[in-house]
């Protein structure tokens, strides 16, 4: 289970993102899952480009982390960032058109 990570391996991001340098140290300390999610979020962001505008508020992907926890990638309807339910939090919209990260959901309640 406790797979030893070959830490500090100079493995480059497969997708050639330029901004990896700034995260190098961080990544080494992060749990693999979180680092992995960050990468995936970035990939979504790259992949979707301006389509993020159209897809905001939608869920991109669900993944089962374990028996009880589900991880959800989505685009926040307000800040239009690619978020993950475990990292940014998810205020899920049953209609799947207005999903928001916890921060934005809170902001809305306060501002409303
Ligand atoms: Zn947000």
């Amino acid at each position: 289970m406790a797979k030893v990570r070959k830490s500090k391996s100079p493995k480059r991001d497969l997708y050639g993102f330029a901004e990896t340098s700034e995260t190098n140290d961080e990544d080494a300390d992060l749990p693999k899952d979180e680092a992995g999610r960050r990468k995936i979020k970035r990939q979504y962001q790259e992949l979707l480009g301006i389509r993020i505008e159209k897809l905001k508020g939608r869920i991109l992907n669900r993944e089962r982390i374990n028996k009880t926890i589900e991880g959800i990638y989505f685009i926040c309807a307000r800040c239009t960032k690619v978020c993950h339910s475990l990292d940014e939090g998810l205020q899920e919209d049953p209609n799947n058109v207005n999903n928001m990260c916890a921060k934005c959901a809170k902001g809305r309640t306060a501002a409303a």
Side-chain angles (χ1 to χ4, degrees), residues 74 76-81 83 88 99-105:
F74 65 99
C76 175
R78 282 198 108 200
C79 62
T80 64
K81 272 201 321 220
C83 301
E88 282 81 9
N99 294 294
M100 279 187 279
C101 67
K103 217 160 79 178
C104 291

Side-chain angles (χ1 to χ4, degrees), residues 8 11 23-24 35 52 66-67 70 76 79 94 98-99 102 107 110:
K8 314 253 161 129
K11 199 179 101 190
T23 59
N24 271 353
I52 275 189
N66 63 32
K67 255 190 240 157
E70 203 177 37
C76 175
C79 62
N98 201 28
N99 294 294

